[in-house]
Amino acid sequence: MTKTPQEIYIEIVSRLPPTERLKLATLILNGLIQQNAIVDDSDAWTEADQQDLAAFSWQYAATIFPDDEEMAE
């Protein structure tokens, strides 16, 4: 069974010391450069991008404006 990138990160990568994680990140990025990996640098926002932004915005707003009755006055 193939593991997802998130499962690999949780089970293996997150347990590595920071220096080893940086080395791994460098290896991955250099590999992408050598393969001429296609990066979408368009300015178009997909629906998923917009949903991610909205979710982050709501989460951020909730931390800045906690549910406090004093603010409602």
Side-chain angles (χ1 to χ4, degrees), residues 19-31:
T19 55
E20 294 300 311
R21 284 189 275 172
L22 285 172
K23 288 178 186 176
L24 180 59
T26 302
L27 289 170
I28 291 170
L29 293 174
N30 285 339

Side-chain angles (χ1 to χ4, degrees), residues 47-60:
E47 187 170 335
D49 292 335
Q50 294 173 18
Q51 289 173 352
D52 289 345
L53 177 62
F56 176 79
S57 298
W58 281 110
Q59 183 181 16
Y60 181 70

Side-chain angles (χ1 to χ4, degrees), residues 60-71:
Y60 181 70
T63 61
I64 291 181
F65 304 108
D67 190 20
D68 190 354
E69 291 182 20
E70 292 178 20
M71 293 185 69

Side-chain angles (χ1 to χ4, degrees), residues 12-45:
I12 300 170
V13 178
S14 66
R15 296 179 182 166
L16 295 172
T19 55
E20 294 300 311
R21 284 189 275 172
L22 285 172
K23 288 178 186 176
L24 180 59
T26 302
L27 289 170
I28 291 170
L29 293 174
N30 285 339
L32 290 172
I33 290 169
Q34 290 174 358
Q35 293 175 356
N36 292 323
I38 298 173
V39 176
D40 180 10
D41 60 355
S42 69
D43 290 336
W45 286 63

